[in-house]
Amino acid sequence: MTEMNMIEAINFTLRQEMEKDEDVLILGEDVGRNGGVFRATDGLVDTFGERRVVDTPLAESGIIGTAVGMAVRGLKPVAEIQFLGFIYEAMDQIAAQAARIRFRSAGNFHAPMVIRAPYSGGVKTPELHSDSLEALFMHSAGIKVIMPSSPSDAKGLLNAAIEDPDPVLFLEPMKLYRAIRENVEEERYTIEIGKANILKEGSDITLISWGSTMAETKKAVQMLEENGYSIELIDLRTIVPLDEETIIDSVMKTSRCVVVHEAVKSAGVGAEISAIINEKALFYISAPVLRVTGYDSPYPVATVENDWIPSVDRIVREVKHVWELSLD
């Protein structure tokens, strides 16, 4: 075991995967000599050379288009988009090319590629550097979406993403890159894609979150427990596929649910979870599913972003609200 933060765990995993498999390579803007904008690829070019750690032009569609071609021809590219807000430039390559290859070719071709991208606010970035856009890809059938919240999860999930036979979007919360240190297994391991993690069992209310908002959600749970609430806390880990079984089983036990995410509220992942609960567990719930989210606006300027991001106070308030709304 070695103590790591998330960016160290990602760097360690990339090195481990490249040592294990010569078909794994990295491409993106400044991933080589500069080691990546957050140093996720630091030092890899010195070990594996410029043919496997490729600095590209500033062209996101070119990065993903090249990765698609590499993947179809048998390589396992890990492409880095410097910030998730820049991914609009590559949407056609992701949604219309990478995600559809298996369907379009009737299973004769597939694209075993990973797209890594930092996202989330809380670090005072300029416009387009903090957006949470995971819902866009929930609508793009054919691509998996992973959003880890801890160094150990990042390592196990990134290993699983690289060995997956189809395209995976791996979204990394910027504000958690260096916020948490924990012991991480050095030996290679994988975490199943599409399997949520029940961080804490409880009986009163199910609290669901993932990625960047897990830190605030954990603090809220601690405050609520001190006030007598029994909270079941679920870290989804993966948005696509969604672990419906764990969600439904938990809500059938607690009969109440609050979803916390940083993306805007309308048509977000929280809305999908609410719909699933209505469809499959309606007669087990005693209160409407509530959401604590970002607001339906562009991500704000740095001076007011703390008012936009779901806070501990907002989470606690909505949990108490769902309790007050309960029929039993």
Side-chain angles (χ1 to χ4, degrees):
M1 301 278 276
T2 301
E3 189 176 81
M4 302 182 194
N5 60 31
M6 187 179 290
I7 202 74
E8 291 168 342
I10 290 168
N11 180 272
F12 186 93
T13 305
L14 291 172
R15 179 178 293 278
Q16 195 171 48
E17 291 298 291
M18 295 181 78
E19 289 171 344
K20 170 178 169 286
D21 188 344
E22 291 186 352
D23 288 337
V24 177
L25 58 88
I26 293 168
L27 69 161
E29 299 160 6
D30 297 325
V31 298
R33 293 298 167 194
N34 194 42
V37 66
F38 290 101
R39 304 297 180 264
T41 56
D42 192 30
L44 298 181
V45 71
D46 297 328
T47 305
F48 302 103
E50 294 180 350
R51 287 179 62 84
R52 294 186 64 195
V53 184
V54 183
D55 277 323
T56 68
L58 301 177
E60 283 74 17
S61 62
I63 295 168
I64 302 305
T66 302
V68 172
M70 288 176 168
V72 170
R73 298 297 295 176
L75 297 174
K76 298 177 181 176
V78 180
E80 178 177 298
I81 299 296
Q82 284 195 332
F83 295 89
L84 185 59
F86 300 171
I87 211 162
Y88 292 113
E89 301 289 338
M91 280 299 292
D92 178 69
Q93 296 292 349
I94 296 171
Q97 306 302 329
R100 290 172 178 253
I101 283 175
R102 184 179 287 279
F103 299 94
R104 180 178 293 141
S105 68
N108 290 310
F109 295 96
H110 59 108
M113 57 185 283
V114 177
I115 304 167
R116 294 183 38 253
Y119 78 101
S120 83
V123 292
K124 312 295 184 188
T125 62
E127 188 178 16
L128 289 173
H129 289 67
S130 298
D131 301 57
S132 295
L133 305 175
E134 62 266 29
L136 295 178
F137 302 95
M138 203 171 199
H139 291 278
S140 304
I143 186 165
K144 300 179 178 72
V145 183
I146 295 174
M147 303 179 76
S149 67
S150 70
S152 55
D153 273 11
K155 183 172 186 294
L157 289 165
L158 184 55
N159 276 328
I162 292 173
E163 73 176 21
D164 195 278
D166 292 303
V168 177
L169 182 62
F170 193 85
L171 301 181
E172 303 162 3
M174 278 187 290
K175 66 180 179 184
L176 300 185
Y177 267 154
R178 293 176 172 84
I180 305 167
R181 297 191 70 83
E182 65 181 11
N183 287 324
V184 179
E185 289 280 356
E186 293 180 355
E187 294 295 319
R188 187 180 188 278
Y189 63 92
T190 60
I191 294 174
E192 181 181 355
I193 297 174
K195 185 64 179 174
N197 186 22
I198 301 174
L199 291 174
K200 189 191 139 326
E201 294 194 357
S203 58
D204 289 340
I205 299 168
T206 298
L207 200 51
I208 300 173
S209 191
W210 56 88
S212 62
T213 46
M214 281 307 303
E216 287 80 8
T217 306
K218 287 178 180 177
K219 292 176 185 174
V221 168
Q222 185 175 355
M223 292 178 63
L224 290 160
E225 295 265 322
E226 290 171 357
N227 284 277
Y229 294 89
S230 176
I231 307 295
E232 180 138 305
L233 178 59
I234 297 175
D235 182 348
L236 284 184
R237 286 176 164 164
T238 304
I239 304 305
V240 182
L242 198 60
D243 187 353
E244 293 186 11
E245 182 179 2
T246 295
I247 294 170
I248 296 302
D249 286 349
S250 178
V251 172
M252 289 173 68
K253 179 173 68 172
T254 64
S255 77
R256 304 167 188 88
C257 181
V258 175
V259 184
V260 183
H261 63 65
E262 191 171 309
V264 298
K265 185 173 187 177
S266 296
V269 180
E272 179 66 20
I273 292 170
S274 178
I276 290 169
I277 292 170
N278 279 330
E279 288 173 353
K280 300 186 176 181
L282 178 64
F283 297 110
Y284 292 88
I285 58 176
S286 63
V289 178
L290 299 185
R291 290 168 283 168
V292 186
T293 70
Y295 296 104
D296 288 343
S297 72
Y299 193 88
V301 295
T303 50
V304 296
E305 69 175 355
N306 287 341
D307 296 323
W308 195 92
I309 297 170
S311 64
V312 174
D313 288 344
R314 285 175 61 195
I315 298 168
V316 169
R317 186 165 63 244
E318 287 306 292
V319 169
K320 291 182 177 178
H321 190 199
V322 82
W323 183 261
E324 292 166 357
L325 292 171
S326 300
L327 297 174
D328 54 0

